[in-house]
Amino acid sequence: MIGWGGRDRKMAASSSIVSVAATASSVPVLPSSCDFSNLREIKKQLLLIAGLTRERGLLHSSKWSAELAFSLPALPLSELQPPPPITEEDAQDMDAYTLAKAYFDVKEYDRAAHFLHGCNSKKAYFLYMYSRYLSGEKKKDDETVDSLGPLEKGQVKNEALRELRVELSKKHQARELDGFGLYLYGVVLRKLDLVKEAIDVFVEATHVLPLHWGAWLELCNLITDKEMLKFLSLPDTWMKEFFLAHIYTELQLIEEALQKYQNLIDVGFSKSSYIVSQIAVAYHNIRDIDKALSIFNELRKQDPYRIENMDTFSNLLYVRSMKSELSYLAHNLCEIDKYRVETCCVIGNYYSLRSQHEKAALYFQRALKLNPRYLGAWTLMGHEYMEMKNTSAAIQAYRHAIEVNKRDYRAWYGLGQTYEILKMPFYCLYYYRRAHQLRPNDSRMLVALGECYEKLNQLVEAKKCYWRAYAVGDVEKMALVKLAKLHEQLTESEQAAQCYIKYIQDIYSCGEIVEHLEESTAFRYLAQYYFKCKLWDEASACAQKCCAFNDQNDNLHLSDKLKVIISAVFLEFRACAHVFRRRCRIRIEKML
C-alpha cells in the first residue's frame, strides 16, 4: 500500500474553536468538533460556507450546503450573522472581482481571468486561477466532442494544467494557499494523474476548511478501498460523518453507510433530500429494489423537480420492466430540463427497455457530450453496444467508465462479459476478478468466475466459486445447478444429488411461481440417482415431476425424456405389482 504524506505530516489546522464570523480574505478555520448537539451552530456554518463557495463560483458545493442548511430549523433574526467584514485587499480588488465574477457567471472564463490578473486578495486570486482552469477544461471538452467523438481515446489535454500546477505549487510551498486554493491545487494534481500528491493536498484542504464539501468529494473519488481510507489523517469534524457515509456507499460497504445515514437522520437531518437520495442509492446498490423504489417515490413527492439521482431511479424501473412509470419519468424530466445528463440517461433507459438500442445509445452519447466524465452514461452505453453485438465499441465504453471511476464494478463485469463473448477466457477471468473484488458478496460475480474457471478446466476453483455464490445468497438461483452439473461431470453422484435437492428445495421455498428451466434437469438426475439407489418411491416421484414439464423445454433431449418416461412406467408397474403381491399374500393367509 502506498504511503500518504498526510498520515505523517502535521496539518496546518488548529484544533481550537475559531469563530465563524471571520474575514472573507482569510477563510475561517471552522470547529473541528464531531458534536451534533448544537444544530443552530451547524446551520450558521452551513449558511456561511454556502456564501463563501458561491462567491468563488463553486456552485455544486454551495447548493449542497444550502440544501443541508434548509433541512435544519430556521434561525431567529437575532442569531443570523452579518456578512464577513471586508479587508483592505478585498476593497482594492472589489471592482475587478465584481466585473470578473459577472463574466465568470456567463462562462466567459478567459475574460474573467484577464481582469483578475494581478489581484492580491485570496478570493480574487482563487477566482483568477479557477477561471483559467475552467477555460482549459471547456476548450478540451469542445475539442474532444468536435474532433474525436465520445468513443475515441481522448488525447486532448487541458493545456493550462501544467502552468497552474507550477504556480499553485509555489504558493503551496510558501503556505499562501487557503482552503479553497488547496482544493483547486488538488483538482489540478488529480487531473495530471498525480494521485498520491492530490490525496495529500485534499486531506490538507479538509483540515484547513472542513466545511467545503467539494474537497471531501474529490478525496472520496480517489479512495479505492477501505485500507486506503484507514491511513488518512482526517479532521475530527461533523462533516467527516457525511464523508464516511458517502465513501462507504461508493465502496459498497452498504451496511456501514446505511448506519451512518440513519445516525445523521436521528441527530436532526431527517428532512435532508440529499440523505434520503443517498439511502435510496445504497438500497439500489444491494439490489433491494422494492425498498429503493419506495424511497425514490417518496423523494419525488417531497422534491418533484429534483433531477439528481433520477438516472439511478430509472435503472430500478428498467430492472422491473415498469414501462409506463419510466415513460412518465422521462417525459417529466424533459419538461424540467431536457439538457441535463441525468435526463438523457433516463430517456436512454426508456428506449433500451423498448429494445430500441440504437436510440438508447444515441441518448447516452448526448449525455457524454454534456459531461464526458459521467460514469453512468459510459457504463449504460457499453450495455447498449453489447445488445447491438458491437463488442469493440462496448469495450471502449467500459474502459472509459473505468477511467472515470475504477470502483465501478458494472464496467469491470461488462468487460468480462464482452471478452467471454469473444471467447478469451483469460481476459474475462481478469475482469471478473476485479468485479468480484469490488462486490465480494455478489453471487453474479462469483457465478461468472466459476463459469470462467470451468472453461479453463480449473474445476476445483470453479466449485469453490459456485458454492460461495450459493452461500452469499444466489440471486439468479443458478449456482447450485452449475455446481451439481460439475459434480455430475466428475462422477461425484452423491454430491450432485445433494446440490439438486437443495436447488429444488430453494425453488419451492421461495414462494414465487417462476419457471426455472433447470428444474426438469434436476428431477431427471434425481430420478436416475434414486433408481440406482433402489429408492423406488423417491425415483417414481421425481420421474413423474420430470415428465410433467412442457415438451418445449430444450434442457432435456428426446432420448433422455424417453428414458425418464420408461423408468416412470416401469416404477409404477413395479409398485403396483408389489401391492398386488402383498394383497394376495394377505388373502392366502386368511384362507389358511
Side-chain angles (χ1 to χ4, degrees), residues 11-42:
M11 297 297 179
S14 172
S15 60
S16 61
I17 297 179
V18 181
S19 172
V20 295
T23 62
S25 61
S26 178
V27 177
V29 180
L30 296 158
S32 59
S33 171
C34 198
D35 186 13
F36 285 96
S37 59
N38 193 346
L39 290 180
R40 288 188 174 186
E41 189 64 29
I42 289 176

PDB file of all heavy atoms in Angstrom, residues 11-42:
ATOM      1  N   MET A  11      -0.761  18.648   9.913  1.00  0.00           N
ATOM      2  CA  MET A  11      -1.519  19.546   9.065  1.00  0.00           C
ATOM      3  C   MET A  11      -1.581  20.939   9.692  1.00  0.00           C
ATOM      4  O   MET A  11      -1.559  21.102  10.918  1.00  0.00           O
ATOM      5  CB  MET A  11      -2.937  19.005   8.854  1.00  0.00           C
ATOM      6  CG  MET A  11      -2.963  17.664   8.140  1.00  0.00           C
ATOM      7  SD  MET A  11      -2.285  17.836   6.496  1.00  0.00           S
ATOM      8  CE  MET A  11      -2.399  16.150   5.929  1.00  0.00           C
ATOM      9  N   ALA A  12      -1.736  21.910   8.803  1.00  0.00           N
ATOM     10  CA  ALA A  12      -1.813  23.295   9.273  1.00  0.00           C
ATOM     11  C   ALA A  12      -3.232  23.623   9.699  1.00  0.00           C
ATOM     12  O   ALA A  12      -3.889  24.516   9.191  1.00  0.00           O
ATOM     13  CB  ALA A  12      -1.360  24.241   8.164  1.00  0.00           C
ATOM     14  N   ALA A  13      -3.760  22.818  10.607  1.00  0.00           N
ATOM     15  CA  ALA A  13      -5.121  23.035  11.090  1.00  0.00           C
ATOM     16  C   ALA A  13      -5.101  23.136  12.602  1.00  0.00           C
ATOM     17  O   ALA A  13      -4.423  22.380  13.276  1.00  0.00           O
ATOM     18  CB  ALA A  13      -6.031  21.904  10.645  1.00  0.00           C
ATOM     19  N   SER A  14      -5.833  24.032  13.136  1.00  0.00           N
ATOM     20  CA  SER A  14      -5.908  24.200  14.585  1.00  0.00           C
ATOM     21  C   SER A  14      -7.079  23.429  15.137  1.00  0.00           C
ATOM     22  O   SER A  14      -8.128  23.345  14.536  1.00  0.00           O
ATOM     23  CB  SER A  14      -6.083  25.691  14.912  1.00  0.00           C
ATOM     24  OG  SER A  14      -6.341  25.848  16.274  1.00  0.00           O
ATOM     25  N   SER A  15      -6.886  22.816  16.291  1.00  0.00           N
ATOM     26  CA  SER A  15      -7.965  22.078  16.934  1.00  0.00           C
ATOM     27  C   SER A  15      -8.836  22.988  17.796  1.00  0.00           C
ATOM     28  O   SER A  15      -9.850  22.574  18.318  1.00  0.00           O
ATOM     29  CB  SER A  15      -7.400  20.949  17.800  1.00  0.00           C
ATOM     30  OG  SER A  15      -6.571  21.490  18.799  1.00  0.00           O
ATOM     31  N   SER A  16      -8.417  24.216  17.972  1.00  0.00           N
ATOM     32  CA  SER A  16      -9.218  25.136  18.770  1.00  0.00           C
ATOM     33  C   SER A  16     -10.397  25.639  17.962  1.00  0.00           C
ATOM     34  O   SER A  16     -10.364  25.682  16.742  1.00  0.00           O
ATOM     35  CB  SER A  16      -8.363  26.322  19.214  1.00  0.00           C
ATOM     36  OG  SER A  16      -7.894  27.018  18.079  1.00  0.00           O
ATOM     37  N   ILE A  17     -11.460  26.033  18.675  1.00  0.00           N
ATOM     38  CA  ILE A  17     -12.661  26.513  18.012  1.00  0.00           C
ATOM     39  C   ILE A  17     -12.475  27.986  17.664  1.00  0.00           C
ATOM     40  O   ILE A  17     -12.248  28.835  18.517  1.00  0.00           O
ATOM     41  CB  ILE A  17     -13.888  26.329  18.908  1.00  0.00           C
ATOM     42  CG1 ILE A  17     -14.089  24.831  19.169  1.00  0.00           C
ATOM     43  CG2 ILE A  17     -15.118  26.953  18.302  1.00  0.00           C
ATOM     44  CD1 ILE A  17     -15.261  24.540  20.060  1.00  0.00           C
ATOM     45  N   VAL A  18     -12.586  28.251  16.357  1.00  0.00           N
ATOM     46  CA  VAL A  18     -12.399  29.611  15.864  1.00  0.00           C
ATOM     47  C   VAL A  18     -13.746  30.154  15.438  1.00  0.00           C
ATOM     48  O   VAL A  18     -14.565  29.440  14.868  1.00  0.00           O
ATOM     49  CB  VAL A  18     -11.405  29.625  14.674  1.00  0.00           C
ATOM     50  CG1 VAL A  18     -11.191  31.038  14.175  1.00  0.00           C
ATOM     51  CG2 VAL A  18     -10.085  29.031  15.114  1.00  0.00           C
ATOM     52  N   SER A  19     -13.993  31.399  15.669  1.00  0.00           N
ATOM     53  CA  SER A  19     -15.286  32.000  15.327  1.00  0.00           C
ATOM     54  C   SER A  19     -15.525  31.914  13.830  1.00  0.00           C
ATOM     55  O   SER A  19     -14.644  32.137  13.016  1.00  0.00           O
ATOM     56  CB  SER A  19     -15.311  33.460  15.765  1.00  0.00           C
ATOM     57  OG  SER A  19     -16.473  34.094  15.280  1.00  0.00           O
ATOM     58  N   VAL A  20     -16.777  31.592  13.459  1.00  0.00           N
ATOM     59  CA  VAL A  20     -17.108  31.504  12.040  1.00  0.00           C
ATOM     60  C   VAL A  20     -17.266  32.879  11.425  1.00  0.00           C
ATOM     61  O   VAL A  20     -17.279  33.023  10.209  1.00  0.00           O
ATOM     62  CB  VAL A  20     -18.407  30.682  11.841  1.00  0.00           C
ATOM     63  CG1 VAL A  20     -18.203  29.261  12.257  1.00  0.00           C
ATOM     64  CG2 VAL A  20     -19.560  31.297  12.592  1.00  0.00           C
ATOM     65  N   ALA A  21     -17.422  33.881  12.227  1.00  0.00           N
ATOM     66  CA  ALA A  21     -17.547  35.239  11.700  1.00  0.00           C
ATOM     67  C   ALA A  21     -16.168  35.812  11.468  1.00  0.00           C
ATOM     68  O   ALA A  21     -15.687  36.693  12.166  1.00  0.00           O
ATOM     69  CB  ALA A  21     -18.326  36.119  12.680  1.00  0.00           C
ATOM     70  N   ALA A  22     -15.494  35.254  10.448  1.00  0.00           N
ATOM     71  CA  ALA A  22     -14.131  35.677  10.144  1.00  0.00           C
ATOM     72  C   ALA A  22     -14.143  36.479   8.850  1.00  0.00           C
ATOM     73  O   ALA A  22     -15.142  36.607   8.178  1.00  0.00           O
ATOM     74  CB  ALA A  22     -13.221  34.463  10.036  1.00  0.00           C
ATOM     75  N   THR A  23     -12.998  36.952   8.483  1.00  0.00           N
ATOM     76  CA  THR A  23     -12.903  37.779   7.293  1.00  0.00           C
ATOM     77  C   THR A  23     -13.034  36.934   6.054  1.00  0.00           C
ATOM     78  O   THR A  23     -12.750  35.747   6.050  1.00  0.00           O
ATOM     79  CB  THR A  23     -11.548  38.511   7.275  1.00  0.00           C
ATOM     80  OG1 THR A  23     -10.519  37.533   7.223  1.00  0.00           O
ATOM     81  CG2 THR A  23     -11.386  39.370   8.514  1.00  0.00           C
ATOM     82  N   ALA A  24     -13.446  37.562   4.962  1.00  0.00           N
ATOM     83  CA  ALA A  24     -13.631  36.829   3.707  1.00  0.00           C
ATOM     84  C   ALA A  24     -12.307  36.493   3.069  1.00  0.00           C
ATOM     85  O   ALA A  24     -12.197  35.532   2.333  1.00  0.00           O
ATOM     86  CB  ALA A  24     -14.490  37.655   2.749  1.00  0.00           C
ATOM     87  N   SER A  25     -11.286  37.302   3.313  1.00  0.00           N
ATOM     88  CA  SER A  25      -9.996  37.018   2.693  1.00  0.00           C
ATOM     89  C   SER A  25      -9.293  35.877   3.398  1.00  0.00           C
ATOM     90  O   SER A  25      -8.616  35.073   2.792  1.00  0.00           O
ATOM     91  CB  SER A  25      -9.124  38.274   2.721  1.00  0.00           C
ATOM     92  OG  SER A  25      -8.910  38.673   4.059  1.00  0.00           O
ATOM     93  N   SER A  26      -9.423  35.825   4.709  1.00  0.00           N
ATOM     94  CA  SER A  26      -8.856  34.709   5.466  1.00  0.00           C
ATOM     95  C   SER A  26      -9.989  33.755   5.803  1.00  0.00           C
ATOM     96  O   SER A  26     -10.756  33.986   6.723  1.00  0.00           O
ATOM     97  CB  SER A  26      -8.197  35.227   6.748  1.00  0.00           C
ATOM     98  OG  SER A  26      -7.695  34.150   7.499  1.00  0.00           O
ATOM     99  N   VAL A  27     -10.104  32.693   5.029  1.00  0.00           N
ATOM    100  CA  VAL A  27     -11.221  31.772   5.177  1.00  0.00           C
ATOM    101  C   VAL A  27     -11.192  31.168   6.565  1.00  0.00           C
ATOM    102  O   VAL A  27     -10.144  30.712   7.023  1.00  0.00           O
ATOM    103  CB  VAL A  27     -11.157  30.671   4.112  1.00  0.00           C
ATOM    104  CG1 VAL A  27     -12.282  29.669   4.299  1.00  0.00           C
ATOM    105  CG2 VAL A  27     -11.243  31.293   2.727  1.00  0.00           C
ATOM    106  N   PRO A  28     -12.300  31.141   7.297  1.00  0.00           N
ATOM    107  CA  PRO A  28     -12.289  30.687   8.683  1.00  0.00           C
ATOM    108  C   PRO A  28     -11.942  29.221   8.821  1.00  0.00           C
ATOM    109  O   PRO A  28     -12.367  28.392   8.041  1.00  0.00           O
ATOM    110  CB  PRO A  28     -13.729  30.942   9.143  1.00  0.00           C
ATOM    111  CG  PRO A  28     -14.537  30.968   7.882  1.00  0.00           C
ATOM    112  CD  PRO A  28     -13.637  31.525   6.840  1.00  0.00           C
ATOM    113  N   VAL A  29     -11.147  28.926   9.852  1.00  0.00           N
ATOM    114  CA  VAL A  29     -10.930  27.543  10.250  1.00  0.00           C
ATOM    115  C   VAL A  29     -12.069  27.183  11.185  1.00  0.00           C
ATOM    116  O   VAL A  29     -12.153  27.686  12.296  1.00  0.00           O
ATOM    117  CB  VAL A  29      -9.569  27.364  10.957  1.00  0.00           C
ATOM    118  CG1 VAL A  29      -9.371  25.908  11.351  1.00  0.00           C
ATOM    119  CG2 VAL A  29      -8.440  27.820  10.065  1.00  0.00           C
ATOM    120  N   LEU A  30     -12.977  26.342  10.721  1.00  0.00           N
ATOM    121  CA  LEU A  30     -14.217  26.085  11.428  1.00  0.00           C
ATOM    122  C   LEU A  30     -14.030  25.024  12.494  1.00  0.00           C
ATOM    123  O   LEU A  30     -13.048  24.299  12.501  1.00  0.00           O
ATOM    124  CB  LEU A  30     -15.290  25.705  10.418  1.00  0.00           C
ATOM    125  CG  LEU A  30     -15.575  26.879   9.465  1.00  0.00           C
ATOM    126  CD1 LEU A  30     -16.194  26.363   8.193  1.00  0.00           C
ATOM    127  CD2 LEU A  30     -16.456  27.912  10.096  1.00  0.00           C
ATOM    128  N   PRO A  31     -14.965  24.911  13.426  1.00  0.00           N
ATOM    129  CA  PRO A  31     -14.805  23.996  14.559  1.00  0.00           C
ATOM    130  C   PRO A  31     -14.495  22.576  14.138  1.00  0.00           C
ATOM    131  O   PRO A  31     -15.126  22.037  13.239  1.00  0.00           O
ATOM    132  CB  PRO A  31     -16.178  24.081  15.252  1.00  0.00           C
ATOM    133  CG  PRO A  31     -16.733  25.406  14.859  1.00  0.00           C
ATOM    134  CD  PRO A  31     -16.219  25.665  13.484  1.00  0.00           C
ATOM    135  N   SER A  32     -13.510  21.986  14.799  1.00  0.00           N
ATOM    136  CA  SER A  32     -13.125  20.615  14.494  1.00  0.00           C
ATOM    137  C   SER A  32     -13.802  19.643  15.439  1.00  0.00           C
ATOM    138  O   SER A  32     -13.192  18.726  15.952  1.00  0.00           O
ATOM    139  CB  SER A  32     -11.604  20.457  14.579  1.00  0.00           C
ATOM    140  OG  SER A  32     -11.164  20.799  15.873  1.00  0.00           O
ATOM    141  N   SER A  33     -15.064  19.890  15.714  1.00  0.00           N
ATOM    142  CA  SER A  33     -15.811  19.051  16.642  1.00  0.00           C
ATOM    143  C   SER A  33     -16.765  18.150  15.875  1.00  0.00           C
ATOM    144  O   SER A  33     -17.355  18.568  14.890  1.00  0.00           O
ATOM    145  CB  SER A  33     -16.597  19.923  17.630  1.00  0.00           C
ATOM    146  OG  SER A  33     -17.481  19.123  18.394  1.00  0.00           O
ATOM    147  N   CYS A  34     -16.907  16.926  16.345  1.00  0.00           N
ATOM    148  CA  CYS A  34     -17.812  15.976  15.717  1.00  0.00           C
ATOM    149  C   CYS A  34     -19.154  15.945  16.447  1.00  0.00           C
ATOM    150  O   CYS A  34     -19.915  15.003  16.338  1.00  0.00           O
ATOM    151  CB  CYS A  34     -17.173  14.587  15.706  1.00  0.00           C
ATOM    152  SG  CYS A  34     -17.922  13.437  14.529  1.00  0.00           S
ATOM    153  N   ASP A  35     -19.429  16.997  17.205  1.00  0.00           N
ATOM    154  CA  ASP A  35     -20.623  17.047  18.039  1.00  0.00           C
ATOM    155  C   ASP A  35     -21.792  17.608  17.245  1.00  0.00           C
ATOM    156  O   ASP A  35     -21.692  18.672  16.634  1.00  0.00           O
ATOM    157  CB  ASP A  35     -20.335  17.917  19.264  1.00  0.00           C
ATOM    158  CG  ASP A  35     -21.496  17.903  20.248  1.00  0.00           C
ATOM    159  OD1 ASP A  35     -22.385  17.047  20.094  1.00  0.00           O
ATOM    160  OD2 ASP A  35     -21.485  18.738  21.146  1.00  0.00           O
ATOM    161  N   PHE A  36     -22.938  16.903  17.265  1.00  0.00           N
ATOM    162  CA  PHE A  36     -24.134  17.346  16.566  1.00  0.00           C
ATOM    163  C   PHE A  36     -25.155  17.960  17.527  1.00  0.00           C
ATOM    164  O   PHE A  36     -26.301  18.189  17.140  1.00  0.00           O
ATOM    165  CB  PHE A  36     -24.794  16.169  15.844  1.00  0.00           C
ATOM    166  CG  PHE A  36     -24.075  15.743  14.599  1.00  0.00           C
ATOM    167  CD1 PHE A  36     -23.166  14.699  14.632  1.00  0.00           C
ATOM    168  CD2 PHE A  36     -24.301  16.381  13.388  1.00  0.00           C
ATOM    169  CE1 PHE A  36     -22.505  14.294  13.489  1.00  0.00           C
ATOM    170  CE2 PHE A  36     -23.642  15.996  12.240  1.00  0.00           C
ATOM    171  CZ  PHE A  36     -22.741  14.946  12.280  1.00  0.00           C
ATOM    172  N   SER A  37     -24.754  18.222  18.766  1.00  0.00           N
ATOM    173  CA  SER A  37     -25.718  18.690  19.769  1.00  0.00           C
ATOM    174  C   SER A  37     -26.203  20.103  19.483  1.00  0.00           C
ATOM    175  O   SER A  37     -27.332  20.462  19.801  1.00  0.00           O
ATOM    176  CB  SER A  37     -25.102  18.618  21.166  1.00  0.00           C
ATOM    177  OG  SER A  37     -23.937  19.419  21.231  1.00  0.00           O
ATOM    178  N   ASN A  38     -25.353  20.936  18.861  1.00  0.00           N
ATOM    179  CA  ASN A  38     -25.716  22.327  18.592  1.00  0.00           C
ATOM    180  C   ASN A  38     -26.031  22.489  17.103  1.00  0.00           C
ATOM    181  O   ASN A  38     -25.189  22.912  16.310  1.00  0.00           O
ATOM    182  CB  ASN A  38     -24.585  23.257  19.011  1.00  0.00           C
ATOM    183  CG  ASN A  38     -25.026  24.720  19.046  1.00  0.00           C
ATOM    184  OD1 ASN A  38     -26.084  25.074  18.524  1.00  0.00           O
ATOM    185  ND2 ASN A  38     -24.199  25.553  19.663  1.00  0.00           N
ATOM    186  N   LEU A  39     -27.264  22.155  16.712  1.00  0.00           N
ATOM    187  CA  LEU A  39     -27.644  22.230  15.302  1.00  0.00           C
ATOM    188  C   LEU A  39     -27.724  23.672  14.808  1.00  0.00           C
ATOM    189  O   LEU A  39     -27.541  23.939  13.618  1.00  0.00           O
ATOM    190  CB  LEU A  39     -28.980  21.526  15.077  1.00  0.00           C
ATOM    191  CG  LEU A  39     -28.977  20.005  15.218  1.00  0.00           C
ATOM    192  CD1 LEU A  39     -30.372  19.439  14.963  1.00  0.00           C
ATOM    193  CD2 LEU A  39     -27.979  19.364  14.261  1.00  0.00           C
ATOM    194  N   ARG A  40     -27.981  24.619  15.705  1.00  0.00           N
ATOM    195  CA  ARG A  40     -28.022  26.016  15.290  1.00  0.00           C
ATOM    196  C   ARG A  40     -26.647  26.483  14.823  1.00  0.00           C
ATOM    197  O   ARG A  40     -26.515  27.200  13.841  1.00  0.00           O
ATOM    198  CB  ARG A  40     -28.523  26.888  16.444  1.00  0.00           C
ATOM    199  CG  ARG A  40     -30.008  26.733  16.724  1.00  0.00           C
ATOM    200  CD  ARG A  40     -30.481  27.765  17.729  1.00  0.00           C
ATOM    201  NE  ARG A  40     -31.929  27.718  17.896  1.00  0.00           N
ATOM    202  CZ  ARG A  40     -32.622  28.572  18.625  1.00  0.00           C
ATOM    203  NH1 ARG A  40     -31.988  29.543  19.287  1.00  0.00           N
ATOM    204  NH2 ARG A  40     -33.931  28.463  18.714  1.00  0.00           N
ATOM    205  N   GLU A  41     -25.620  26.080  15.573  1.00  0.00           N
ATOM    206  CA  GLU A  41     -24.252  26.446  15.176  1.00  0.00           C
ATOM    207  C   GLU A  41     -23.893  25.802  13.843  1.00  0.00           C
ATOM    208  O   GLU A  41     -23.241  26.424  12.991  1.00  0.00           O
ATOM    209  CB  GLU A  41     -23.274  26.013  16.266  1.00  0.00           C
ATOM    210  CG  GLU A  41     -21.859  26.539  16.072  1.00  0.00           C
ATOM    211  CD  GLU A  41     -21.769  28.059  16.152  1.00  0.00           C
ATOM    212  OE1 GLU A  41     -22.601  28.672  16.857  1.00  0.00           O
ATOM    213  OE2 GLU A  41     -20.884  28.613  15.493  1.00  0.00           O
ATOM    214  N   ILE A  42     -24.321  24.550  13.651  1.00  0.00           N
ATOM    215  CA  ILE A  42     -24.054  23.862  12.383  1.00  0.00           C
ATOM    216  C   ILE A  42     -24.748  24.576  11.231  1.00  0.00           C
ATOM    217  O   ILE A  42     -24.174  24.750  10.151  1.00  0.00           O
ATOM    218  CB  ILE A  42     -24.510  22.391  12.480  1.00  0.00           C
ATOM    219  CG1 ILE A  42     -23.573  21.617  13.405  1.00  0.00           C
ATOM    220  CG2 ILE A  42     -24.547  21.739  11.101  1.00  0.00           C
ATOM    221  CD1 ILE A  42     -23.990  20.180  13.644  1.00  0.00           C
TER     222      ILE A  42
END
